[in-house]
Amino acid sequence: MQMEISRRRFLQGSVALSVVGGVGIGSSELFSSEHEKGDGVPSSLTTKTGKGDAEFVPTLCEMCVNKCAAIARVENGVVTKLDPNPMFPKSKNMLCPRGNAGIQALYDPDRLKYPMIRIGEKGEGKFKRVSWDEAYDAILNGTEKFKGLKQILEEEKDNRSTFVFCAGEGMAEHTFKTFYTGFGSANWLNHASLCLRTVVSGYGVTLGAYPQADLENAEYIVMAGANRAEAIVTPDTMDFFKRTKGRGAKLICVDPRFTNTAAKADKWLAIKPGTDLAFVLALTYVAMDEGLYDKAYVEKYFNGFEEYKEHVLGNGYTPKWAAKITGLEEADIYEVARDFMKHAPKAVYYPGRRSTFAKNDFQLRRAMAIFQALGGGIDTKGGLIFGKKIPLKGHEVIAPMYAQAEGVNVDRKKESAGYADCAVVSGGGSWLGFRNRVLEGRNPYPVRGLFVYKHNPIMNMPNRAKTEKFMKGLDLVVAIDTMPSDTVMFADVVLPECTYLERTDPVKTFGGAEPAIAVRNKVIDPMFETKPVIEIMRGLTEKISKPLFEITKKYDEDVQEMIQEEGEEATYAEYDLTVPFKHSQEELNEHAVSDYPGAAEILKKHGVYYPKMEEYFKKVSVNEHQYYPEEKRYYSVQGGKPKTNSGKVECNLKSLAKKGIDPMPTWRDEYEYRVPEGKFRMLTGRHAQFTQSGTANNAMLHDLIHENYIWINKRVAKKKGIEFGDLVEVTSGAGSVRIKAYPTEKIAPDQVFFIHGFGEESEALTWAYRSGGNDNAVIEDVIEPVYGGAAMHETNVEIRKV
């Protein structure tokens, strides 16, 4: 691949990319470049922006979770440019390097092009190209290599829960989940337990919702464990760092590493990993002991305050106590607590938007939410805000009750329903807990199949070796994806989804101080034989719905009784899997916004809609726009009242004690930071130019960072004879990985770090294949005990120079 583009111009957003015969490296001919045969990306394709006629289509980016609005320039059916859409309040006329690289996601020669079924051993990556109907038939009836739905469900007497469904984050996740709901399984796993589950849940049970931080108006920000300056470059990130220097907002960075965020902060607190809970409890101690909190707010909106105060003060959670645990200075803890309360309610303890750190993460988020509320900074300008959402209409789905479908996967040794390895069964499940129960045989019924959509658990879940074993043990794995990822290599049937620029996704409402509705409009027709997931589900359900109902008739006495009373046709209508997919996505979107006259047309034209948009929206300066007048923004929707059922901040959740969970945030000795002599605490994180493993093969982004390096303290590296670029082997109880070294003073002597999303093993990925190291090959599967999240910073590793 030849890229006629300078890095400087790319970062500025002026992208000109030519695809000149990219070479795909694959384990079978299916993944090789087939330009001569006319099956690959045309060798003559150029995405250089021309000067002729062009069509401009508003859409939404999918290169990260932020979903910025973009306008695609299309010339002769080719997307030649992606520009930011100035009309979306969330993205504020910005498109980052990842967003610009969306063109490469569309024209990646390695992308999945047509349906395939496995012909080799699972994990070997040997497939044959088939038609869509043949792929659907293989899912239903199997092949000589694997079993199909019919055989498995016959053998399991219609226990639909023998199949598991998992999905990554995305606007079309809803469409895939609609299929899961109709199918009737109890087992749904999404990215949440590998991501924000404990954050969302901790704030949810304490405040009633996971709030947004009003960084635009905050005067004092504590950013702990969140690396906004380099982990995700969004408009609020950029504006926030401009404001900290421009208008005097103060930033305190709490992070084990000296990150780019720390470099831009007024104070960096190099905390020991996993000890943030002690830090927040000490901040709370100071606020309570010195009476710095907002007494009127506490009296009006707190439940269990006196109990919590007695708990914090009685346990002696003083700054002196916390200093010994966290490695921070006692004086710094006092200073942060006092300064935070002095600036409150325009002070923010940033909630975080990334994965679980440690086993105490749920209690940490609870403590953070309570400390934030002590200053009255809830549902108010400059604090944490709930914001408003513009409601959408739903559409018809089916949720039949299958009598044979067993409940959520539980421990066979326990009498009551619930996970053995976490106290609360959440809607997103526990990926690690589920996988490990299957491997350890702790299931009340067999788990035999997996439908996976836009998700890469082989790469994204701690302890890769266990995930591979889990996948190999399944009878049927169906993968829906755009790229031949490591997980796709373990599939039995591969269904190629078109990229985000080739499809219309479910319209989405975005809440906040400036709420809006936005839509991902299809920019060009799908290339090759790819389809949007709604069409994939339509074709699949048309193939499997009636045959699976025939199995249900044999084993479901309720269905048999319904047939006798109402007839088979009426009964089948309740179980018809095709119902949710009969309409096009465009029709469903029009229905969703039908309460707002003209909204459907505005969304097609501008990609964005909110009431009074024509009146409110205006250009203020070269790159600044008004979306809502200041007085019309929804900084407060509750008058400061939390969204819990009680309408109060919940300090003492006594119901949790019944599940063996501390009802109030509590420090336990087991949380202390310990690293044996000669080992290192493994830390991981994100980078703004990559989105986990999803963009690992993007050639434009790969040109910016070819591989990841492991951070190791410079003095320690010198003792070990390790220099920059040396290859080192990192080993833990989960496995080992080889990666190049980056000696630096920006990390403590007993810690190491490297970026997530590198080190794919799929040979079908030209640029990602064995590029750098996979952190999850060495991160051990430690489970956060409340919601079953993957605790990413609990692993100690050894390092040796290769």
Side-chain angles (χ1 to χ4, degrees):
M1 170 165 288
Q2 176 185 342
M3 290 188 295
E4 300 178 5
I5 172 178
S6 72
R7 183 169 304 189
R8 181 170 176 269
R9 289 189 66 209
F10 173 67
L11 291 172
Q12 289 175 335
S14 299
V15 180
L17 169 68
S18 284
V19 180
V20 190
V23 178
I25 302 172
S27 55
S28 79
E29 291 183 359
L30 288 175
F31 298 110
S32 63
S33 184
E34 301 187 28
H35 309 317
E36 294 79 13
K37 301 176 186 178
D39 293 330
V41 177
S43 59
S44 60
L45 175 68
T46 176
T47 61
K48 282 187 176 181
T49 304
K51 297 180 181 179
D53 293 336
E55 180 186 4
F56 295 90
V57 184
T59 190
L60 289 177
C61 183
E62 197 176 57
M63 296 298 285
C64 86
V65 301
N66 207 58
K67 300 175 183 66
C68 295
I71 298 175
R73 179 185 177 97
V74 183
E75 301 179 50
N76 297 318
V78 176
V79 182
T80 62
K81 185 80 165 62
L82 293 173
D83 287 312
N85 184 346
M87 303 193 76
F88 192 27
K90 192 171 191 285
S91 54
K92 298 180 180 177
N93 201 32
M94 176 180 165
L95 204 61
C96 76
R98 276 186 287 189
N100 276 281
I103 292 180
Q104 176 59 25
L106 172 63
Y107 296 121
D108 191 325
D110 291 339
R111 61 177 287 189
L112 295 171
K113 302 177 181 71
Y114 27 70
M116 299 182 295
I117 59 175
R118 177 171 65 85
I119 56 174
E121 297 307 308
K122 190 165 293 198
E124 194 177 8
K126 289 185 177 180
F127 300 90
K128 74 173 181 178
R129 176 181 178 176
V130 295
S131 68
W132 278 98
D133 189 65
E134 287 173 315
Y136 295 146
D137 187 75
I139 294 170
L140 179 63
N141 296 306
T143 70
E144 68 278 2
K145 281 289 185 180
F146 54 87
K147 295 180 178 180
L149 285 170
K150 276 174 62 175
Q151 184 176 353
I152 295 169
L153 288 176
E154 281 279 10
E155 291 171 357
E156 298 301 325
K157 298 182 178 179
D158 202 38
N159 175 17
R160 300 297 179 104
S161 295
T162 199
F163 281 89
V164 188
F165 294 76
C166 71
E169 192 278 336
M171 293 174 71
E173 179 185 352
H174 164 78
T175 305
F176 178 70
K177 193 169 185 179
T178 299
F179 171 59
Y180 149 78
T181 303
F183 188 90
S185 171
N187 294 308
W188 169 262
L189 300 166
N190 69 1
H191 58 285
S193 67
L194 304 173
C195 190
L196 283 172
R197 169 54 59 206
T198 54
V199 183
V200 173
S201 301
Y203 278 86
V205 298
T206 309
L207 302 179
Y210 173 53
Q212 298 178 12
D214 182 17
L215 298 179
E216 184 174 0
N217 295 294
E219 296 174 353
Y220 190 92
I221 302 101
V222 179
M223 192 163 284
N227 185 14
R228 288 299 298 265
E230 59 185 317
I232 183 163
V233 179
T234 56
D236 55 337
T237 297
M238 302 297 288
D239 291 345
F240 165 62
F241 285 107
K242 290 177 186 177
R243 283 190 294 275
T244 56
K245 303 300 180 185
R247 67 172 176 81
K250 195 168 185 180
L251 172 64
I252 309 300
C253 178
V254 185
D255 200 300
R257 297 186 300 127
F258 186 73
T259 63
N260 282 355
T261 303
K264 295 181 180 296
D266 295 276
K267 184 183 285 290
W268 170 48
L269 302 180
I271 197 168
K272 292 179 180 178
T275 65
D276 293 62
L277 175 58
F279 173 64
V280 179
L281 288 170
L283 297 179
T284 305
Y285 183 98
V286 175
M288 290 176 164
D289 185 55
E290 298 183 1
L292 304 177
Y293 57 90
D294 186 331
K295 297 175 181 61
Y297 185 87
V298 167
E299 183 177 351
K300 187 175 183 180
Y301 290 126
F302 266 65
N303 263 346
F305 172 75
E306 291 300 330
E307 295 166 283
Y308 190 52
K309 182 178 181 180
E310 182 181 343
H311 171 72
V312 172
L313 299 182
N315 278 299
Y317 292 146
T318 65
K320 184 177 181 178
W321 163 83
K324 295 176 182 177
I325 294 171
T326 62
L328 303 179
E329 295 293 328
E330 181 181 353
D332 285 335
I333 300 174
Y334 273 109
E335 180 183 315
V336 172
R338 291 165 179 165
D339 284 354
F340 188 96
M341 290 300 162
K342 182 171 66 177
H343 288 90
K346 290 191 173 183
V348 167
Y349 199 113
Y350 185 66
R353 59 181 295 167
R354 57 151 295 174
S355 54
T356 301
F357 296 106
K359 288 187 289 187
N360 62 36
D361 207 83
F362 172 74
Q363 298 294 2
L364 165 63
R365 307 302 174 173
R366 290 249 299 130
M368 288 164 57
I370 296 170
F371 177 70
Q372 172 78 34
L374 287 174
I378 304 296
D379 188 44
T380 187
K381 185 176 180 179
L384 297 185
I385 64 173
F386 299 127
K388 183 181 178 179
K389 273 191 175 182
I390 304 170
L392 301 173
K393 277 187 178 179
H395 60 273
E396 186 179 8
V397 298
I398 62 164
M401 299 296 293
Y402 289 90
Q404 299 297 101
E406 299 200 34
V408 71
N409 205 354
V410 298
D411 190 332
R412 177 181 285 143
K413 298 175 183 177
K414 293 184 69 175
E415 294 181 2
S416 59
Y419 292 149
D421 34 29
C422 58
V424 180
V425 181
S426 69
S430 169
W431 239 125
L432 286 187
F434 190 93
R435 180 200 67 188
N436 290 354
R437 285 191 301 279
V438 172
L439 291 177
E440 294 162 16
R442 295 188 284 115
N443 308 301
Y445 50 84
V447 173
R448 300 182 59 181
L450 175 70
F451 282 84
V452 53
Y453 171 63
K454 199 191 170 219
H455 197 26
N456 192 4
I458 292 284
M459 278 290 294
N460 296 341
M461 205 188 313
N463 201 326
R464 176 185 173 119
K466 282 189 177 181
T467 311
E468 289 190 7
K469 185 178 180 182
F470 166 78
M471 298 283 280
K472 286 181 178 179
L474 298 171
D475 287 314
L476 176 64
V477 177
V478 179
I480 305 171
D481 212 326
T482 61
M483 296 297 296
S485 69
D486 282 21
T487 297
V488 166
M489 294 298 106
F490 285 79
D492 298 298
V493 181
V494 180
L495 305 178
E497 185 187 29
C498 56
T499 68
Y500 73 94
L501 292 173
E502 302 164 285
R503 65 177 192 258
T504 297
D505 276 343
V507 66
K508 183 175 175 63
T509 180
F510 294 83
E514 299 179 288
I517 296 171
V519 68
R520 174 174 292 136
N521 289 311
K522 182 175 71 171
V523 175
I524 62 170
D525 289 332
M527 296 173 64
F528 312 108
E529 295 180 17
T530 64
K531 294 182 179 183
V533 70
I534 190 169
E535 292 185 20
I536 294 174
M537 293 295 97
R538 185 180 301 134
L540 177 60
T541 55
E542 287 173 355
K543 172 68 72 170
I544 69 173
S545 183
K546 201 62 185 287
L548 296 193
F549 180 72
E550 293 298 322
I551 296 173
T552 297
K553 281 166 53 179
K554 295 180 184 179
Y555 300 103
D556 195 317
E557 293 180 1
D558 293 338
V559 168
Q560 294 166 4
E561 186 175 326
M562 283 178 65
I563 291 174
Q564 288 180 349
E565 294 177 355
E566 302 176 20
E568 183 165 331
E569 185 175 345
T571 302
Y572 174 65
E574 299 290 324
Y575 291 81
D576 185 357
L577 291 174
T578 68
V579 168
F581 311 108
K582 289 185 181 296
H583 296 282
S584 71
Q585 191 60 65
E586 288 79 5
E587 290 172 324
L588 293 173
N589 288 350
E590 288 186 16
H591 171 75
V593 300
S594 57
D595 283 342
Y596 311 107
E601 291 72 24
I602 292 172
L603 285 165
K604 289 175 184 176
K605 182 179 179 181
H606 298 297
V608 180
Y609 167 83
Y610 53 93
K612 297 187 178 182
M613 186 169 72
E614 291 184 0
E615 176 186 341
Y616 290 167
F617 179 77
K618 61 182 66 174
K619 189 170 185 177
V620 178
S621 63
V622 174
N623 195 34
E624 187 179 1
H625 300 78
Q626 173 189 283
Y627 303 97
Y628 284 74
E630 180 70 17
E631 68 276 10
K632 297 294 184 181
R633 296 175 188 174
Y634 296 93
Y635 295 118
S636 179
V637 294
Q638 300 264 123
K641 183 180 179 180
K643 286 193 168 186
T644 54
N645 290 335
S646 65
K648 296 188 177 183
V649 178
E650 298 291 355
C651 297
N652 188 4
L653 292 171
K654 295 179 182 178
S655 60
L656 292 179
K658 299 176 183 177
K659 298 176 180 291
I661 305 168
D662 289 322
M664 294 183 285
T666 304
W667 181 262
R668 301 281 177 185
D669 290 342
E670 66 193 78
Y671 299 154
E672 288 197 20
Y673 175 75
R674 298 184 180 92
V675 180
E677 185 71 26
K679 292 193 176 185
F680 304 86
R681 180 60 56 92
M682 171 70 195
L683 309 179
T684 185
R686 311 290 189 248
H687 195 283
Q689 289 160 353
F690 285 89
T691 302
Q692 288 84 23
S693 63
T695 59
N697 201 64
N698 190 295
M700 298 180 76
L701 298 175
H702 194 265
D703 185 54
L704 300 177
I705 301 180
H706 297 286
E707 59 188 314
N708 55 352
Y709 282 65
I710 187 167
W711 288 31
I712 183 171
N713 183 271
K714 187 177 287 186
R715 287 160 287 156
V716 173
K718 187 175 181 180
K719 288 181 182 179
K720 288 181 166 286
I722 297 172
E723 297 181 354
F724 177 79
D726 283 348
L727 192 65
V728 299
E729 186 174 67
V730 185
T731 306
S732 73
S736 64
V737 68
R738 292 189 173 188
I739 187 173
K740 292 178 182 177
Y742 170 57
T744 175
E745 286 292 351
K746 295 187 285 188
I747 196 166
D750 60 352
Q751 299 162 26
V752 293
F753 162 87
F754 59 95
I755 300 168
H756 172 70
F758 289 80
E760 296 256 15
E761 292 291 332
S762 170
E763 294 182 4
L765 298 169
T766 302
W767 291 274
Y769 176 62
R770 293 190 176 175
S771 178
N774 176 13
D775 54 347
N776 280 321
V778 291
I779 296 176
E780 296 172 352
D781 44 330
V782 177
I783 298 177
E784 180 273 324
V786 182
Y787 279 89
M792 297 292 192
H793 289 177
E794 295 278 6
T795 301
N796 294 321
V797 300
E798 296 177 351
I799 295 180
R800 70 175 184 88
K801 183 178 176 179
V802 177

